Amino acid sequence: MFWQEFESRFNFIAVDYLVYTYEVVSNINQSYPLPILIGSILIIVTIIQFLFEKRRYFQKSFRGNTVLKDRVVLSSVFSSVILIFALGINNSFAEKSTNRYQNELAKAGIYSFFSAFRNNELNYDAFYKRLDNKSAFEVVRRQLKNPSSYFESDSFSIGRKIADSGQSINPNVIMITIESFSADFMTRFGNREGLTPVLDSLAEKSILFTNMYATGTRTVRGMEALSVAIPPTPGNSIVRRQHNEQLTTIGSIFRDKRYNTGFFYGGDGYFDNMNQYFGNNGYTVTDRKRSGIIAEQFAAERHPIPDSLVNFENAWGICDEDLYDAVIRDADAQMAQGKAFYDFVMTTSNHRPYTYPAGRIDIPSGTGRSGAVKYTDYAIGRFFEKIRSKPWYKNTIIILVADHCASSAGKNEIDVSKYHIPAMVVNMPMPPTAIDQLCSQIDLYPTLFSMFNWNYQSNLYGQDVLSPEYVPRAFLGTYQKLAYLQHDSVVILSPQQKVESFKYSFASNEQKPIHLPSDNPVVMEAVANYQTAYYLFKNGGLKEHPSLADTARQAGTTGLQYKVSKAGN
């Protein structure tokens, strides 16, 4: 049935079906007569079991006189073969033909399933609408081109030099990435529960992005967007994939400006491969480090948060207050050493089970999302109270942005309103401003770097939202669906080269099907952006620019000069 539907062995779609998404499992149940299929299998198995027992086949099969020594030898050989296949045989080894059907037939279904689970991706070229690569890159490069940038090659690349003639500034930057924080939690965006007095107050004094959209529905997808500024590619986030080290990240651009870069997480960064990703991309890791059994090795220093500095903790990690205290301690240390710093901070309190320290707010801990949102707001307020008296605060920008919304399920396959997130830049040396342009998470840092008047090497898909050449658009995705929103047009790409188009109403959150031909500019931009993003990651095109890598090596924060961190040390 899977082959009939997707003309493929099991891939990440099958992983998605069987591991992650309730809605997809429900869809299978509604699409196929599962009771009849499963019931028939059980009946057949029962009949075979009965006949085999009656004819004593099992006893004859498993009776043997082989001595223990020979059994151990045979078992060792078989186990070794299994390990070789599991660890050393890549599913892509079967892809030797230019004919996709031949490649798929050469694979084993069950092996392909576990390979897909391990690699966390779908092959864009095999399952999604494509242009030829030359045309795809031409479309994307036209979108990214502006008077302040020039491309450094004519090849399949988006690498370019961003030049700014203004007087640059180099403030410290702390980005607080708020777990599961929808824009509609804030009064500024229509909420009437009064849950976010601190954030609403800060919004009035900040550079506020009022129309920003997350690229996905999971934390690792938000991390991907905020660290490499790339549209979401099919399958899982780059954060969880293999070969995701030494990328051109936001951190590498900061390091080129002689910043120290750090990643702070309230839980154990082993979860979702966070430590491996950030640690292998030049960030010093500060996390809870609760796993003492699983050994991790990544190219960065790791600073565990000790029990003595934790006042409250749940299954996901320490409370936001304790995490912010760790950020403050590190900032104090950086200031003492005369170092500029950029921190990527990931919170956990606004997550089920919604528990937090008692006595902080007027909603009891563990009673629901509203309490977690209000505590999240309270902790941010306490953080600002503490840092305003710090000598480094006057030269420090605080970014507050969500990783994704609290929920993504809606009446549409991709519900645009469920991707709307708040984002603000606090303590920026310029008048408060509301940026109302439709934009994506990936545009946050290119816009910020423009405000800093920075010259830098860019391998980012994000754009300066304030540029006169900017055309409003956003990227939205799930594991399989890839959406492109431009003005009021939505194009959704799906497996089997499926392309759907809709007219979207922001006021009513309604999508009405429309027909856009394949050569429509919006359709071509949708295909080109996702296709080239996949191409660049798979072919190493997102790796650090040589000049950025050289700067990092000189600073002792990359390559062989990294310190190795393992569990227990």
Side-chain angles (χ1 to χ4, degrees):
M1 289 182 175
F2 190 88
W3 181 274
Q4 184 181 35
E5 185 76 14
F6 297 103
E7 297 176 333
S8 169
R9 297 292 191 189
F10 287 145
N11 52 34
F12 197 75
I13 297 175
V15 176
D16 203 11
Y17 274 26
L18 299 177
V19 177
Y20 292 105
T21 309
Y22 170 80
E23 288 82 357
V24 179
V25 174
S26 299
N27 177 54
I28 294 175
N29 189 39
Q30 295 170 14
S31 301
Y32 300 104
L34 291 188
I36 296 174
L37 292 172
I38 296 174
S40 300
I41 291 171
L42 290 175
I43 291 171
I44 293 170
V45 168
T46 301
I47 293 171
I48 292 174
Q49 178 84 7
F50 174 77
L51 293 175
F52 278 29
E53 286 283 359
K54 187 174 182 179
R55 300 186 181 188
R56 307 174 68 85
Y57 287 161
F58 290 123
Q59 292 181 8
K60 294 176 183 178
S61 296
F62 296 114
R63 183 189 300 123
N65 300 317
T66 309
V67 298
L68 179 61
K69 178 182 176 181
D70 291 342
R71 294 183 188 182
V72 170
V73 171
L74 288 171
S75 297
S76 299
V77 171
F78 294 143
S79 298
S80 298
V81 171
I82 291 171
L83 285 174
I84 290 171
F85 269 86
L87 301 177
I89 305 299
N90 194 307
N91 206 43
S92 63
F93 289 176
E95 298 172 356
K96 303 300 182 183
S97 171
T98 57
N99 185 310
R100 191 178 70 83
Y101 295 104
Q102 292 178 357
N103 290 336
E104 292 298 319
L105 288 168
K107 300 175 183 176
I110 300 300
Y111 196 89
S112 294
F113 174 83
F114 284 98
S115 174
F117 182 80
R118 184 178 179 185
N119 291 311
N120 297 314
E121 68 179 65
L122 275 171
N123 186 320
Y124 183 95
D125 294 336
F127 293 101
Y128 291 82
K129 173 72 175 177
R130 295 183 75 257
L131 304 172
D132 65 89
N133 281 327
K134 184 176 183 295
S135 299
F137 274 97
E138 287 175 352
V139 170
V140 172
R141 287 161 70 104
R142 277 199 301 270
Q143 281 189 285
L144 296 176
K145 185 175 178 56
N146 62 56
S148 65
S149 68
Y150 65 89
F151 291 96
E152 298 178 300
S153 74
D154 296 326
S155 63
F156 293 168
S157 166
I158 62 166
R160 59 203 186 279
K161 176 72 175 180
I162 309 294
D164 197 303
S165 59
Q167 181 64 43
S168 65
I169 61 174
N170 293 80
N172 303 311
V173 178
I174 299 174
M175 179 176 66
I176 297 175
T177 313
I178 310 173
E179 170 68 37
S180 304
F181 204 87
S182 306
D184 57 16
F185 288 149
M186 294 176 60
T187 303
R188 175 67 175 77
F189 297 102
N191 190 285
R192 295 292 176 262
E193 297 180 72
L195 300 175
T196 58
V198 173
L199 286 170
D200 286 313
S201 175
L202 291 172
E204 297 297 323
K205 309 166 188 173
S206 70
I207 309 300
L208 176 68
F209 293 82
T210 64
N211 208 10
M212 180 176 284
Y213 287 79
T215 61
T217 59
R218 288 204 60 211
T219 295
V220 285
R221 190 62 86 182
M223 287 180 166
E224 171 190 86
L226 294 168
S227 62
V228 289
I230 185 175
T233 48
N236 216 326
S237 164
I238 287 173
V239 174
R240 294 192 60 189
R241 293 191 194 170
Q242 297 176 340
H243 313 302
N244 62 4
E245 67 283 345
Q246 296 179 339
L247 303 177
T248 300
T249 64
I250 301 302
S252 63
I253 294 172
F254 273 101
R255 285 192 298 278
D256 189 51
K257 302 293 183 181
R258 306 296 177 178
Y259 283 68
N260 285 349
T261 55
F263 170 65
F264 293 78
Y265 179 55
D268 190 323
Y270 172 78
F271 179 75
D272 263 346
N273 204 47
M274 295 179 194
N275 285 350
Q276 293 289 118
Y277 173 74
F278 284 99
N280 286 327
N281 280 292
Y283 294 76
T284 299
V285 173
T286 301
D287 71 333
R288 187 65 177 106
K289 194 180 179 182
R290 292 183 293 191
S291 62
I293 300 175
I294 301 173
E296 293 182 85
Q297 183 170 336
F298 47 86
E301 291 186 13
R302 185 182 191 182
H303 304 300
I305 301 171
D307 293 344
S308 60
L309 297 175
V310 175
N311 297 298
F312 182 88
E313 188 170 16
N314 62 19
W316 284 104
I318 61 177
C319 66
D320 289 355
E321 293 172 79
D322 291 341
L323 178 63
Y324 296 151
D325 286 346
V327 174
I328 294 171
R329 289 192 298 272
D330 184 80
D332 288 342
Q334 301 283 1
M335 175 78 179
Q337 298 174 36
K339 301 289 187 181
F341 57 87
Y342 164 66
D343 294 334
F344 190 123
V345 183
M346 185 68 235
T347 71
T348 59
S349 289
N350 190 33
H351 196 295
R352 193 177 297 276
Y354 312 130
T355 55
Y356 39 84
R360 301 301 199 268
I361 59 173
D362 57 0
I363 301 177
S365 172
T367 57
R369 172 76 73 178
S370 294
V373 170
K374 195 164 188 177
Y375 171 73
T376 295
D377 184 79
Y378 164 85
I380 291 171
R382 181 178 176 275
F383 173 67
F384 274 92
E385 288 176 6
K386 286 190 171 186
I387 66 175
R388 285 193 180 106
S389 61
K390 296 291 183 179
W392 45 264
Y393 176 71
K394 61 184 178 182
N395 188 41
T396 300
I397 306 301
I398 313 296
I399 301 172
L400 299 166
V401 61
D403 60 345
H404 58 86
C405 286
S407 63
S408 60
K411 58 186 178 181
N412 302 307
E413 286 184 303
I414 289 187
D415 195 319
V416 174
S417 68
K418 301 293 187 179
Y419 290 77
H420 186 206
I421 58 172
M424 63 188 82
V425 182
V426 184
N427 207 32
M428 186 77 184
M430 61 185 293
T433 306
I435 299 176
D436 297 325
Q437 294 269 56
L438 168 68
C439 61
S440 170
Q441 267 176 322
I442 70 174
D443 301 316
L444 177 59
Y445 280 101
T447 305
L448 187 69
F449 293 156
S450 175
M451 294 178 184
F452 290 174
N453 298 318
W454 275 8
N455 299 321
Y456 64 98
Q457 299 283 350
S458 177
N459 213 4
L460 314 176
Y461 277 78
Q463 299 182 52
D464 173 15
V465 177
L466 300 178
S467 170
E469 288 76 28
Y470 176 72
V471 177
R473 53 86 186 100
F475 300 92
L476 322 167
T478 63
Y479 286 107
Q480 297 178 35
K481 305 287 184 178
L482 306 173
Y484 182 73
L485 171 64
Q486 186 182 109
H487 298 301
D488 60 351
S489 296
V490 180
V491 175
I492 299 179
L493 310 178
S494 308
Q496 299 173 292
Q497 291 81 40
K498 187 177 180 181
V499 179
E500 299 172 281
S501 305
F502 302 87
K503 186 69 70 176
Y504 179 66
S505 169
F506 286 89
S508 62
N509 189 36
E510 291 183 342
Q511 298 177 17
K512 294 184 178 179
I514 58 173
H515 173 69
L516 294 178
S518 59
D519 60 351
N520 180 278
V522 178
V523 175
M524 293 183 69
E525 288 173 12
V527 173
N529 276 278
Y530 287 114
Q531 178 180 328
T532 57
Y534 177 83
Y535 177 94
L536 289 175
F537 178 73
K538 293 297 292 182
N539 292 279
L542 298 181
K543 296 295 185 180
E544 275 188 316
H545 187 279
S547 68
L548 299 180
D550 289 344
T551 301
R553 276 191 289 273
Q554 292 167 15
T557 56
T558 189
L560 297 177
Q561 296 185 32
Y562 276 134
K563 292 186 178 180
V564 174
S565 174
K566 293 184 180 179
N569 69 2

